[in-house]
Amino acid sequence: MKMENMSLSGLDNTKLEALAQDIYSDLVEDACLGLCFEVHRAVKQGYFFLDDTDQESMKDFEIVDQPGVDIFGQVYNQWKNKECVCPNCNRSIAASRFAPHLEKCLGMGRNSSRIANRRIASSNNTNNKSESDQEDNDDVNDNDWSYGSEKKVLIRQMDNVLFSLPGELSSSVNTDPYKYNYNTGINYETLGPDELRSLLTTQCGVISEHTKKMCTRSQRCPQHTDQQRRAVRVFLLGLSATSLPDSNTAVESDGYDASDGQVLMSRLQWDGSSDISPSDSASSKASTNNSDSKKPKKKKKTSLNSTGGGGGGSGSVGGSSSQGCLAGQANRKKPKLPVPPAPSIYDNLN
Amino acid sequence: LISKRKPQLLPAGCSHVNAYKVDNWRPNLRVIYQCFVWSGSAETRRRKAKSCICHMCGAHLNRLHSCLYCVFFGCFTKKHIHEHAKNKRHNLAIDLLYGGIYCFVCQDYIYDKDMEQIAKEEQRKAWKLQGVGEKYSTWEPTKRELDLLRHNPKRRKMTTNCTIGLRGLINLGNTCFMNCIVQALTHTPLLRDFFLSDRHKCEMQSNSCLVCEMSQLFQEFYSGHRSPHIPFRLLHLVWTHARHLAGYEQQDAHEFLIAALDVLHRHCKGDTTNDNGKKANNPNHCNCIIDQIFTGGLQSDVTCQVCHGVSTTIDPFWDISLDLPGSSTPFWPLSPGGDGGTVNGESHLSGATTLTDCLRRFTRPEHLGSSAKIKCGGCHSYQESTKQLTMKKLPIVACFHLKRFEHSAKLRRKITTYVSFPLELDMTPFMASRWASTNYLPPGLYVLVRYALFAVVNHQGTLESGHYTSFIRQHKDQWFKCDDAIITKASIKDVLDSEGYLLFYHKQFLEYE
């Protein structure tokens, strides 16, 4: 089509339409050509095949939209046993308890200074491992953590120690006794037989498989069974080991009820961890709504539910959401927050 | 026809161009591109229109080609350029529409690296002349990348029905606040693109770079793993670098977002470059990806009531915190359906507050009162004044924080008022420009201030105890609910009906500078 200088004003509608149609079809053809060139270039440059995927395996990645399962088709809440290694102390920690562990590990918790002092005051043969052991051990004692729930654990365990036969402790006891083995770094290998004997008359003495240190709790320590205690004495002192007070005499009061909780609690408080204030009585803690406490505490996700509910009792601690995935998230902000080190331009404007 | 089954390694270029690439071939080729292919200036366009016709049949179209060896235009369709090539043994021609080089010996279009480079450069210049600016060009693999890909054929294509890019996060003990922010960040399109294209060059000596960890996080999300990820290293790094956050004292998702952005920004030093060549470690002129995406400019105009002089300052911001009705700060309910009230298509069911209402309140002129007199530079004395905040520079990602947690001296509570927020947000009414304040927007510019919702963080529960979950957007219009380790499909209705605590909006159209 030859180009001419043409005036459009003299043309009637049909001619104009024909022109418009021509222009339109030219444009469409050009666009198609452009696409052809793109494909041609992709093939020649060798990246056309990049689109290829393995159809079979793509099916594995299809989104699932069914009740009761997530988008991967997995049932909810099967991730209770995940673990991770703390970058600070290199210990293996249950993932769901990593944050509380890290808080202490980094020395940021509210009781970290107390823990640190204790560490300083303990025996001289500490190595890194035992230090971190201590910190972890304090999890059990550290009352500002899962405050109310902690007490419930101890009470429940005590319950089992008192009323079960030796060797028959139910699974509600901490399933990983070695993890929370409380010790101040007593290494049985450094003690002579006399020292050991005297030690074993007052202390539990069960040796942690993890750290090889002896438990310094009382002889009624709920973390370990009487059987374990007997075994240790046999091991350390030979078959003529002094006898343990056997489990039947462990009960000093006639019965166990909630009001005795406070009494029991004080007995279970070793080493003067004095974070309990008088207002934090066991009875108030026994209620399911922990948020009533004077010092507003965060509700913690407890992994208790996963350790099997042998001891029964209160079931879900703190009474929250159904799936055991508590993740209580209190948003307690202090009115004045420390500003991050960056200059003030990053303060958000309210 | 190339079979898809067996990707053939055809040579993209050919040896016949070697005869052409002699003497002054580069400037010659440039001239051809400038004048006859891209035609950036009006003059070249006119010339092309007039003189680019087939020397044999006079056609303008028909896939006109220019000979590379002499001044000859011939159409491809009628094979006039082929005839010329045969007669004169000029074996190269260029397509005047798309600039492709045709080799008559190979009888195919060929792609020579050097010549393509010239073509691209000239095209950019032409765009500039035409006022088009930079245009987006898709990624092309290098030879080495192609090689790698060929040897690793296991590839997953992300279709709209694909779970890749989605992953649950284990709760480490009340860390749902962190998990929600991680979900929002990993689904921020620009941030995702930055990390997946490996743009972070770490300059930190130690192993404690948060940006590296972020990069690793994206790798985890796109790994195809179905089990939830355990973000313990992330928690450790954030607590190490933002000590004020550590411990269970302050666990607000919004706070975590700000702290995380701050640490990321600080660790981004290795990636910041200035056109001037200076290292941009000046916090006021940072060009790191965090600032590019999240930083906007908030303009504060203080007007003296007496002399009407205006004092203006502009401060950078990463997010906007909005007061809600029902808080102890006075909230003026602006009439729903008033000017611009429904501009964002938010539902006004029975007078529910909208995000637009909150933004209007945020940008309203506020009389500062007699107890807060400002020293006026014009009057040289303390005068009453009004202050107004507007958006001077819009960030690419706008994060709105609804202030639901009240911590005044008299009361501490959570404000659960429902605030309706839109899927698409027009920021025009809140901008500083003169024309914006009169709500008049020249056509075509609307697109530049249009934002799309892509993540919502919600808090259920009370001030003392609660749980954070989030909704994130994937594949344009699919939404997913992220509840720590559990990711499920959600409807848009679920998202828009939720309470809303942190709202993340992404600019829909990006301009290239």
Side-chain angles (χ1 to χ4, degrees):
Chain A
M1 175 162 93
K2 255 201 156 74
M3 176 164 113
E4 308 149 356
N5 280 334
M6 210 162 94
S7 157
L8 290 175
S9 54
L11 298 173
D12 62 24
N13 267 348
T14 45
K15 285 233 175 72
L16 280 173
E17 265 206 40
L19 269 177
Q21 189 62 33
D22 274 343
I23 294 172
Y24 175 74
S25 52
D26 286 339
L27 286 172
V28 169
E29 202 176 302
D30 285 346
C32 292
L33 193 62
L35 181 63
C36 292
F37 276 126
E38 271 180 37
V39 174
H40 180 267
R41 183 162 186 277
V43 171
K44 270 209 124 158
Q45 298 279 47
Y47 57 86
F48 188 70
F49 69 92
L50 284 181
D51 247 19
D52 285 354
T53 46
D54 171 19
Q55 289 293 0
E56 285 305 312
S57 60
M58 282 308 291
K59 287 210 176 59
D60 290 339
F61 293 101
E62 279 179 8
I63 293 170
V64 175
D65 189 10
Q66 306 284 342
V69 291
D70 62 15
I71 54 164
F72 306 104
Q74 295 163 148
V75 182
Y76 301 159
N77 288 325
Q78 46 173 294
W79 314 111
K80 297 232 164 43
N81 297 322
K82 290 275 184 182
E83 290 206 340
C84 53
V85 176
C86 174
N88 203 44
C89 64
N90 286 318
R91 292 200 60 201
S92 179
I93 310 289
S96 56
R97 289 199 62 94
F98 178 70
H101 161 80
L102 188 67
E103 188 194 28
K104 291 188 205 75
C105 199
L106 290 176
M108 290 164 175
R110 292 167 60 238
N111 296 301
S112 292
S113 56
R114 170 173 67 84
I115 295 165
N117 286 335
R118 203 189 298 161
R119 203 189 310 152
I120 292 165
S122 72
S123 341
N124 44 15
N125 60 337
T126 52
N127 51 31
N128 269 344
K129 235 174 164 235
S130 75
E131 278 172 25
S132 44
D133 265 353
Q134 282 176 359
E135 284 168 344
D136 217 40
N137 296 334
D138 290 318
D139 279 339
V140 179
N141 282 332
D142 214 322
N143 294 295
D144 71 324
W145 202 244
S146 325
Y147 193 56
S149 60
E150 217 62 61
K151 291 205 176 182
K152 285 190 191 234
V153 175
L154 293 169
I155 290 169
R156 226 187 300 142
Q157 287 171 343
M158 200 59 204
D159 196 356
N160 288 309
V161 169
L162 296 175
F163 294 110
S164 66
L165 296 172
E168 234 189 290
L169 282 177
S170 74
S171 57
S172 69
V173 171
N174 193 325
T175 51
D176 186 7
Y178 300 119
K179 206 172 187 175
Y180 294 107
N181 198 1
Y182 181 80
N183 70 71
T184 52
I186 297 178
N187 190 336
Y188 63 87
E189 287 160 349
T190 66
L191 301 175
D194 283 338
E195 292 167 59
L196 277 175
R197 197 168 297 138
S198 76
L199 203 96
L200 287 172
T201 54
T202 54
Q203 294 179 10
C204 167
V206 173
I207 298 169
S208 161
E209 205 177 67
H210 203 80
T211 64
K212 304 284 185 274
K213 303 272 161 55
M214 293 167 61
C215 175
T216 55
R217 291 194 179 115
S218 84
Q219 290 187 329
R220 278 182 281 283
C221 148
Q223 289 302 89
H224 303 112
T225 67
D226 284 344
Q227 223 173 22
Q228 288 170 312
R229 280 186 275 275
R230 264 195 283 274
V232 157
R233 279 153 180 77
V234 167
F235 168 63
L236 290 175
L237 305 173
L239 280 167
S240 62
T242 53
S243 61
L244 268 178
D246 68 278
S247 55
N248 289 331
T249 61
V251 183
E252 281 187 285
S253 51
D254 281 347
Y256 169 73
D257 57 79
S259 61
D260 282 348
Q262 184 68 349
V263 176
L264 275 174
M265 280 319 299
S266 53
R267 228 191 288 140
L268 292 171
Q269 293 311 312
W270 24 82
D271 224 35
S273 67
S274 51
D275 240 22
I276 310 172
S277 74
S279 62
D280 298 332
S281 68
S283 52
S284 73
K285 282 306 152 196
S287 77
T288 53
N289 186 6
N290 285 348
S291 56
D292 285 338
S293 70
K294 259 206 188 131
K295 297 192 243 171
K297 302 289 181 188
K298 315 257 184 231
K299 280 236 213 92
K300 305 300 177 295
K301 174 175 150 104
T302 64
S303 47
L304 299 175
N305 294 333
S306 64
T307 60
S314 50
S316 164
V317 175
S320 322
S321 65
S322 48
Q323 293 158 353
C325 183
L326 290 179
Q329 192 50 56
N331 179 38
R332 187 171 69 86
K333 282 207 273 203
K334 287 205 172 116
K336 173 74 183 84
L337 303 169
V339 178
S344 63
I345 57 170
Y346 295 114
D347 288 347
N348 59 353
L349 295 137
N350 287 322
Chain B
L1 245 58
I2 308 297
S3 143
K4 229 182 161 190
R5 289 209 173 273
K6 210 179 30 158
Q8 294 187 18
L9 294 172
L10 299 170
C14 74
S15 55
H16 309 114
V17 296
N18 294 334
Y20 177 76
K21 286 169 156 185
V22 293
D23 302 328
N24 259 351
W25 73 273
R26 274 182 222 264
N28 287 346
L29 191 61
R30 277 189 200 279
V31 168
I32 294 180
Y33 272 108
Q34 282 169 22
C35 296
F36 302 122
V37 183
W38 306 132
S39 304
S41 67
E43 186 203 320
T44 50
R45 274 201 296 279
R46 220 175 293 124
R47 194 188 315 148
K48 178 174 179 176
K50 280 220 162 99
S51 56
C52 289
I53 57 172
C54 176
H55 284 191
M56 292 181 67
C57 68
H60 271 284
L61 304 170
N62 292 346
R63 288 174 66 186
L64 204 61
H65 280 62
S66 164
C67 174
L68 277 188
Y69 286 102
C70 71
V71 181
F72 180 89
F73 299 117
C75 61
F76 196 96
T77 330
K78 302 231 173 78
K79 299 246 190 289
H80 292 149
I81 188 75
H82 298 68
E83 270 188 56
H84 171 87
K86 198 163 103 175
N87 295 341
K88 298 280 178 125
R89 305 221 190 162
H90 291 173
N91 57 6
L92 292 174
I94 182 169
D95 166 39
L96 294 187
L97 187 53
Y98 289 106
I101 311 280
Y102 189 87
C103 172
F104 289 94
V105 182
C106 299
Q107 289 189 46
D108 197 6
Y109 285 92
I110 53 102
Y111 304 99
D112 179 82
K113 211 166 89 178
D114 298 325
M115 294 167 96
E116 283 207 300
Q117 176 156 1
I118 291 174
K120 264 209 162 58
E121 285 167 11
E122 291 305 319
Q123 190 175 39
R124 271 213 192 90
K125 285 187 207 165
W127 282 338
K128 252 201 175 132
L129 281 174
Q130 290 165 346
V132 170
E134 283 290 333
K135 273 199 198 173
Y136 172 74
S137 53
T138 52
W139 166 76
E140 271 172 33
T142 63
K143 277 252 150 17
R144 185 178 173 294
E145 284 166 347
L146 269 183
D147 233 8
L148 274 171
L149 287 167
R150 235 177 248 119
H151 287 114
N152 294 281
K154 244 187 155 182
R155 272 186 288 280
R156 308 264 176 262
K157 182 174 177 179
M158 282 190 62
T159 60
T160 51
N161 196 22
C162 189
T163 58
I164 297 182
L166 297 163
R167 199 157 172 203
L169 293 165
I170 294 280
N171 187 307
L172 304 173
N174 280 348
T175 59
C176 51
F177 66 94
M178 177 177 81
N179 289 348
C180 289
I181 298 300
V182 170
Q183 294 290 359
L185 291 178
T186 50
H187 292 93
T188 301
L190 269 189
L191 208 57
R192 172 203 66 200
D193 293 348
F194 176 83
F195 282 106
L196 286 182
S197 52
D198 244 349
R199 298 286 297 278
H200 171 58
K201 306 281 177 273
C202 194
E203 286 195 0
M204 277 183 84
Q205 304 295 351
S206 62
N207 250 358
S208 63
C209 175
L210 190 68
V211 190
C212 287
E213 181 57 30
M214 196 79 214
S215 183
Q216 186 56 32
L217 212 57
F218 276 95
Q219 295 299 315
E220 293 284 348
F221 268 72
Y222 284 85
S223 61
H225 288 323
R226 271 165 267 195
S227 63
H229 173 63
I230 312 175
F232 67 98
R233 262 194 324 263
L234 182 74
L235 185 71
H236 176 246
L237 282 177
V238 174
W239 280 6
T240 306
H241 292 294
R243 288 254 148 175
H244 68 287
L245 260 198
Y248 276 35
E249 300 293 330
Q250 299 143 42
Q251 302 306 343
D252 173 41
H254 174 245
E255 249 181 310
F256 181 84
L257 171 70
I258 299 302
L261 289 180
D262 181 52
V263 178
L264 285 170
H265 152 77
R266 279 189 275 135
H267 289 191
C268 262
K269 288 227 179 76
D271 308 327
T272 61
T273 48
N274 248 332
D275 278 340
N276 304 335
K278 317 185 272 199
K279 253 314 168 58
N281 48 14
N282 174 358
N284 286 322
H285 291 288
C286 183
N287 211 24
C288 69
I289 189 68
I290 300 296
D291 276 328
Q292 282 186 53
I293 295 179
F294 293 96
T295 303
L298 194 65
Q299 180 166 316
S300 168
D301 294 308
V302 178
T303 310
C304 171
Q305 290 303 85
V306 173
C307 71
H308 300 290
V310 183
S311 153
T312 302
T313 50
I314 299 175
D315 291 308
F317 69 88
W318 272 343
D319 68 322
I320 299 283
S321 288
L322 301 167
D323 287 312
L324 297 181
S327 67
S328 51
T329 55
F331 184 88
W332 300 335
L334 301 160
S335 51
D339 60 318
T342 48
V343 71
N344 286 311
E346 296 149 318
S347 59
H348 274 280
L349 336 136
S350 56
T353 316
T354 67
L355 178 67
T356 311
D357 290 335
C358 294
L359 281 168
R360 268 193 287 161
R361 181 189 177 277
F362 183 76
T363 53
R364 81 198 185 292
E366 183 186 352
H367 189 75
L368 289 181
S370 48
S371 54
K373 286 191 179 168
I374 305 282
K375 177 107 187 270
C376 172
C379 306
H380 301 292
S381 58
Y382 285 88
Q383 304 291 356
E384 289 193 16
S385 55
T386 52
K387 173 172 148 178
Q388 180 172 28
L389 295 172
T390 48
M391 312 273 184
K392 175 69 179 169
K393 177 191 170 231
L394 292 173
I396 294 179
V397 168
C399 171
F400 298 109
H401 167 227
L402 302 181
K403 291 163 77 173
R404 294 195 175 278
F405 298 108
E406 171 122 20
H407 293 277
S408 60
K410 28 187 173 145
L411 55 101
R412 296 168 64 244
R413 65 189 170 112
K414 179 184 172 189
I415 300 164
T416 54
T417 319
Y418 172 69
V419 175
S420 131
F421 48 89
L423 212 47
E424 239 181 51
L425 181 67
D426 173 20
M427 294 289 277
T428 326
F430 316 112
M431 292 188 65
S433 313
R434 222 170 296 136
W435 47 261
S437 63
T438 58
N439 277 344
Y440 164 68
L441 185 58
L445 273 185
Y446 167 66
V447 292
L448 294 179
V449 296
R450 204 158 74 198
Y451 283 76
L453 184 70
F454 72 93
V456 178
V457 171
N458 285 306
H459 178 270
Q460 302 138 247
T462 65
L463 200 67
E464 300 291 328
S465 71
H467 181 48
Y468 282 104
T469 54
S470 57
F471 287 107
I472 50 102
R473 188 177 192 165
Q474 180 90 326
H475 302 309
K476 189 158 198 287
D477 279 320
Q478 291 188 59
W479 286 87
F480 295 88
K481 179 172 185 181
C482 305
D483 185 351
D484 288 330
I486 304 168
I487 311 290
T488 48
K489 203 153 194 312
S491 68
I492 292 181
K493 187 178 187 308
D494 291 335
V495 179
L496 297 179
D497 283 350
S498 66
E499 199 177 70
Y501 175 54
L502 296 177
L503 307 169
F504 292 84
Y505 286 85
H506 198 289
K507 223 181 202 183
Q508 282 199 319
F509 295 94
L510 301 174
E511 323 144 307
Y512 290 91
E513 282 167 41

